[in-house]
Amino acid sequence: MRIHARIACLLTLVVPVALTGCFKLARESPTLQLYVLGDGSASGLPTPPAGAPSAGRAAFRIGLSRVEMASYLSVPAIMMRRGANELIVSQFHRWGGDLDQGVNRAVGAYLAKSPRIRSVDVAPWTARARHDLLVQLHVTRFEGVVADSAAREGRVHVMAGWDIIRPFDGTVMVRGSTDDRGGAFRVGDYAGLVTGLDAALSRVARDISACLARFPNDSTPPASCETF
């Protein structure tokens, strides 16, 4: 009985020491990082498009409808693509809100800089809002791209189609698209990746603005806006 008591006593001393050691060895969890897209105030983005209207041409009131996003972009994580088919999701680097709303806000802010646009309303807008034209975005790629697991640098890839629509009857007047494979970022630098994605959205807005500059009025669209 005395032997058992000694063993029990030893265990009482050893277990707290072992537990203390475990706590010391445990690693701290990485901090969750949240990111948002810009508000159109980034320096140098975008420049007024070529063929901007003269003072005598009307400026449009634009309604930016709810953006349609590819289903794989519906998660809160910032997306990375490795190679052609592998998607990489980091649980510690996420969007600070719904990505579709963030994309619309950023594009709307950049569009508002265009000399051909009088105002931009981002959906949902009030019942009293009146628009000359609606713009509908369809985002199919919105991510960083790396070649393989050894890559130290990646590229931003944003692909978006956009429709310019007559608000009275929903007729698509003209379609265009932007395929931006732009700025480089250092792998692991999510802040740099988000900055590159935001810059790509400014180019989407630039292309839409250039298309609007081809409209002689709000009822006569150009033949095409695919090539600028």
Side-chain angles (χ1 to χ4, degrees), residues 7 67 91-92 98 124 137 165:
I7 293 174
V67 63
Q91 61 179 317
F92 299 109
D98 292 333
L137 292 172
I165 300 167

Side-chain angles (χ1 to χ4, degrees), residues 38-148:
D39 58 1
S41 60
S43 60
L45 298 173
T47 56
S54 63
R57 296 179 69 180
F60 298 129
R61 297 168 298 178
I62 299 298
L64 192 57
S65 301
R66 293 182 184 274
V67 63
E68 295 181 355
M69 306 286 291
S71 58
Y72 79 95
L73 295 170
S74 62
V75 298
I78 297 173
M79 198 64 65
M80 292 275 292
R81 186 183 295 263
R82 183 159 59 199
N85 304 310
E86 183 181 2
L87 295 176
I88 305 169
V89 176
S90 170
Q91 61 179 317
F92 299 109
H93 299 88
R94 301 183 181 183
W95 296 111
D98 292 333
L99 179 57
D100 55 348
Q101 295 177 16
V103 167
N104 251 15
R105 282 194 300 268
V107 172
Y110 286 122
L111 281 176
K113 292 183 172 184
S114 170
R116 194 70 203 276
I117 295 177
R118 181 190 307 172
S119 63
V120 179
D121 285 328
V122 177
W125 46 72
T126 66
R128 295 182 179 181
R130 295 292 180 267
H131 305 116
D132 302 308
L133 297 167
L134 302 180
V135 175
Q136 171 76 65
L137 292 172
H138 310 271
V139 177
T140 53
R141 297 284 291 269
F142 197 78
E143 62 225 18
V145 180
V146 294
D148 51 46

